[in-house]
Amino acid sequence: MSTAVLQARGVRKSFGHTEVLSGIDLDVTPGETVVVLGPSGSGKSTFLRCINLLESLDAGRITVDGRDVGYDVRNGRLHELSPNEIARRRKDIGMVFQQFNLFPHMTALENIIEAPIAVLGEGRREATERAVGLLAEVGLAGREKAYPRQLSGGQQQRVAIARALAMRPKLMLFDEPTSALDPELVGEVLATMKRLASAGLTMVVVTHEISFAREAADRVVFMDAGQVVEQGTPEQVIDNPQHERTRAFLSRFL
Amino acid sequence: MATTVQDAPAAGLELDVRNAAHRKHPWRWLSALVVLVFAAQLVKMLVTNDNFGWDVVWAWLRAESIVRGLGITLMLTVVAMVIGVVLGVLLAVCRISANPLLRSAAGLYIWFFRGTPTLVQLIFFYNLSALLPKLNIGIPFGPVFTSVDTNTLITPLLAAILGLGLNEGAYMAEIVRGGLLSVDPGQREAGQALGMKNSRIMKRIILPQAMRFIVPPTGNQVISMVKATALVSVIALSDLLYTAQSIYNRTFETIPMLIVVCLWYLAVTSVLYVVQSFIERHYNRGARHQAPSFWDFLRIRPKGSAA
Ligand SMILES: Nc1ncnc2c1ncn2[C@@H]1O[C@H](COP(=O)(O)OP(=O)(O)OP(=O)(O)O)[C@@H](O)[C@H]1O
Ligand SMILES: [Mg+2]
């Protein structure tokens, strides 16, 4: 149990009167790549955002590396943390957004070194050296001085991945990282992610790219209506789904 | 049908838009002519009408008392704007905070100071001693440490600074709030996901982007403030206008002295205009649209227009 990077138990979340997450359980072990599939509105993004507390939970519990992001355990009870303490715990969780969310007033390099300097207390020299290396790793050597608007969508998303990696996260969350991209740019981002997966990064990936799930996932989780319907290896879930809802969803990709 | 569609382009494939005839603009030329005639008449009046008293204007333009008045005007502008901007950022942050008490307190402040004339506020601060003869410093509802006579504390200068600065804070608050709201919420989330503290996110990510929306209206506010300082002449503070007034009350050279005042205000606002255009360029880093260059107003053909 304590070896899991991510543990979610009975996670519930409502917006107003609609319950979006109705008791999610999920464990992710170190080095594992978990792909979350599910129809639009099934709560995939909400669940990812609950993991790093961009959304608060209504019930249940999520721990990352054995600790609650938003709470301390004292005397057998959870106690809410202050915003600054929550910020400190978020640094171990990288997140890549559908819309990239790069900082448009900073160059690619400045985007990457901002948090290592501000949060990890790295020196500018050291952070810059690592950022140059990370940019090369995502195939963008030499683009340090480019502003986000001067880069293609696929390049922007790879800068965003490098920015998240610069924090040396224990867990990376990807929320439909290729959905905002032109079809011909999807491949370069997925290739980067596959390389990270095989390098042993622990990742939870929400995506509609079934081929990525098949090739890179250690485990596929199918969500519908705020619940985990089934999970297993890509072969089990994609090629031999047990549930009618999974079959109905997958039939759209054939 | 199909044949005409094919024939039309085929007829002149050797044509090239590079050699196309430009459109003529007769109305543009005519309106320019009208403006020129009016301008010529204006210049003739400026030169031939002795009532302008250009020699008097020239003599007083750099007179010591006038320059000292200008100094007061500039000092008031700077101090009131600094108070206004700081107060404005604080009020704007309160206005969008999660704390409902802070939100409504800031809302009430803005409602009051925007809803009453600046002139009235100035006179009010000037006469504060009629309302509160003594100002006490101490613990609220508790012991008083020191107490000062309001009339000695609130000089005309302090009344002017308070009146202009507190009033400006209300307007700046709305400008800053608009700027903060114009930044995509995804930016804050990206900062949070990286583990950055809220204060750092505000300083490094939200504010620099909001600046693109805050700087242009703030430039307007500064220019308004330069002129609004003229209001302090009602509380006998010797700014540029009050100094000029006290001169023409003696010499009766009203028009020349007002021209001196106008020339100085124009000079100051022109400098501010240039400064603003440089600041806008700075905050437009990485943006799709470049800020207009200072010299753009001299261009006859608008930039990027096909005509
Ligand atoms: N901040 C919010 N306020 C109100 N409702 C919300 C909010 N965020 C999400 N929802 C609702 O919660 C439901 C689940 O949304 P979520 O974004 O998690 O779905 P998703 O599985 O990621 O879908 P998609 O594939 O379209 O991204 C949707 O019905 C959505 O309208
Ligand atoms: Mg989503």
Side-chain angles (χ1 to χ4, degrees):
Chain A
M1 280 288 274
S2 59
T3 59
V5 176
L6 171 71
Q7 286 187 298
R9 289 288 174 278
V11 175
R12 288 178 178 275
K13 174 74 185 176
S14 304
F15 291 113
H17 291 297
T18 41
E19 191 170 59
V20 176
L21 299 178
S22 320
I24 302 275
D25 294 324
L26 187 72
D27 278 14
V28 180
T29 55
E32 205 180 9
T33 298
V34 173
V35 169
V36 181
L37 301 176
S40 182
S42 56
K44 307 180 297 293
S45 299
T46 307
F47 177 60
L48 276 198
R49 293 160 58 81
C50 282
I51 294 174
N52 65 359
L53 225 64
L54 288 181
E55 296 298 351
S56 59
L57 335 189
D58 294 341
R61 192 175 174 191
I62 296 179
T63 59
V64 175
D65 205 27
R67 285 198 308 181
D68 300 78
V69 176
Y71 302 87
D72 253 345
V73 188
R74 287 201 303 273
N75 309 325
R77 238 187 118 189
L78 291 173
H79 293 259
E80 255 180 36
L81 292 176
S82 75
N84 283 353
E85 289 168 315
I86 293 172
R88 220 169 299 136
R89 296 200 177 177
R90 280 193 183 117
K91 71 180 171 16
D92 291 336
I93 311 169
M95 187 163 200
V96 175
F97 299 86
Q98 184 173 350
Q99 300 297 338
F100 327 139
N101 293 355
L102 288 179
F103 307 132
H105 58 302
M106 297 183 183
T107 63
L109 185 86
E110 289 167 344
N111 264 278
I112 297 173
I113 65 175
E114 176 65 30
I117 292 174
V119 181
L120 301 180
E122 279 184 23
R124 176 167 285 270
R125 232 346 223 315
E126 179 195 358
T128 303
E129 264 168 37
R130 284 210 307 123
V132 171
L134 283 167
L135 275 175
E137 226 172 276
V138 298
L140 289 170
R143 303 308 307 272
E144 290 80 14
K145 290 209 171 65
Y147 282 99
R149 282 204 206 285
Q150 299 164 334
L151 298 170
S152 75
Q155 292 172 327
Q156 288 186 50
Q157 191 60 296
R158 285 182 284 149
V159 173
I161 292 172
R163 178 175 73 175
L165 289 175
M167 296 298 289
R168 306 185 219 261
K170 297 185 172 130
L171 173 67
M172 278 277 273
L173 310 173
F174 294 82
D175 190 4
E176 301 198 30
T178 58
S179 297
L181 298 178
D182 291 336
E184 76 267 26
L185 301 178
V186 169
E188 62 190 46
V189 173
L190 291 182
T192 304
M193 290 168 58
K194 277 179 207 160
R195 232 173 314 119
L196 295 174
S198 51
L201 188 66
T202 312
M203 321 199 315
V204 179
V205 183
V206 172
T207 185
H208 290 296
E209 299 290 333
I210 302 292
S211 66
F212 176 81
R214 213 187 277 283
E215 290 163 42
D218 298 307
R219 187 147 48 100
V220 172
V221 173
F222 177 73
M223 266 179 74
D224 192 16
Q227 286 177 318
V228 173
V229 176
E230 67 179 298
Q231 53 179 310
T233 63
E235 293 76 26
Q236 289 169 339
V237 177
I238 298 172
D239 299 325
N240 191 18
Q242 299 301 305
H243 287 259
E244 185 45 46
R245 283 192 277 178
T246 319
R247 274 194 286 267
F249 173 77
L250 287 168
S251 67
R252 275 181 272 152
F253 295 91
L254 297 179
Chain B
M1 286 283 272
T3 52
T4 50
V5 170
Q6 277 181 348
D7 281 354
L13 272 183
E14 76 285 1
L15 293 181
D16 189 328
V17 290
R18 237 183 325 182
N19 308 320
H22 286 300
R23 285 180 58 209
K24 299 281 181 285
H25 298 284
W27 289 110
R28 220 180 264 183
W29 287 109
L30 189 68
S31 52
L33 195 70
V34 172
V35 170
L36 268 181
V37 169
F38 275 108
Q41 204 156 29
L42 186 68
V43 169
K44 178 174 168 263
M45 181 183 72
L46 286 174
V47 173
T48 57
N49 187 338
D50 286 338
N51 293 335
F52 281 108
W54 291 108
D55 48 336
V56 182
V57 170
W58 184 243
W60 279 105
L61 198 57
R62 281 148 51 223
E64 203 201 319
S65 55
I66 288 288
V67 172
R68 214 178 313 122
L70 176 69
I72 297 275
T73 291
L74 291 179
M75 190 273 286
L76 270 180
T77 305
V78 171
V79 175
M81 273 319 290
V82 168
I83 293 176
V85 168
V86 171
L87 205 56
V89 171
L90 288 178
L91 285 167
V93 171
C94 288
R95 278 280 268 175
I96 57 179
S97 87
N99 185 333
L101 196 67
L102 283 184
R103 270 205 311 268
S104 40
L108 204 65
Y109 180 99
I110 294 166
W111 169 78
F112 179 79
F113 279 92
R114 288 203 312 177
T116 51
T118 315
L119 187 56
V120 175
Q121 290 169 24
L122 270 176
I123 301 173
F124 200 89
F125 278 111
Y126 187 55
N127 294 300
L128 196 62
S129 64
L131 180 65
L132 309 164
K134 288 211 172 295
L135 294 177
N136 300 328
I137 299 174
I139 297 168
F141 305 109
V144 173
F145 298 146
T146 54
S147 171
V148 272
D149 189 30
T150 305
N151 255 339
T152 47
L153 184 71
I154 308 279
T155 58
L157 183 64
L158 194 59
I161 287 173
L162 283 177
L164 294 173
L166 299 189
N167 179 67
E168 185 59 28
Y171 285 92
M172 282 309 300
E174 290 297 277
I175 290 173
V176 173
R177 186 172 71 102
L180 294 181
L181 291 181
S182 65
V183 178
D184 174 12
Q187 292 290 309
R188 154 172 243 104
E189 291 185 349
Q192 288 179 319
L194 287 165
M196 295 170 72
K197 291 182 189 175
N198 283 332
S199 53
R200 177 93 183 186
I201 293 174
M202 182 56 84
K203 205 174 83 198
R204 295 279 302 168
I205 296 170
I206 313 278
L207 266 182
Q209 294 183 60
M211 285 306 252
R212 291 206 306 124
F213 300 90
I214 292 175
V215 167
T218 302
N220 271 340
Q221 291 300 111
V222 177
I223 287 171
S224 298
M225 178 61 82
V226 173
K227 295 175 297 177
T229 55
L231 291 175
V232 304
S233 54
V234 300
I235 57 174
L237 192 61
S238 39
D239 73 318
L240 183 56
L241 178 60
Y242 187 83
T243 309
Q245 282 173 329
S246 42
I247 293 169
Y248 69 64
N249 281 341
R250 265 186 295 120
T251 66
F252 301 107
E253 290 158 336
T254 310
I255 295 292
M257 288 317 293
L258 289 180
I259 290 175
V260 167
V261 169
C262 285
L263 287 178
W264 272 120
Y265 278 123
L266 277 173
V268 171
T269 51
S270 306
V271 170
L272 289 174
Y273 181 55
V274 178
V275 172
Q276 183 188 348
S277 68
F278 280 109
I279 296 178
E280 274 179 44
R281 294 199 142 227
H282 173 77
Y283 283 110
N284 262 4
R285 278 170 308 164
R288 200 186 304 271
H289 296 287
Q290 279 303 312
S293 145
F294 167 61
W295 301 109
D296 273 0
F297 76 97
L298 288 178
R299 299 175 78 91
I300 299 200
R301 288 182 179 201
K303 223 192 246 175
S305 119

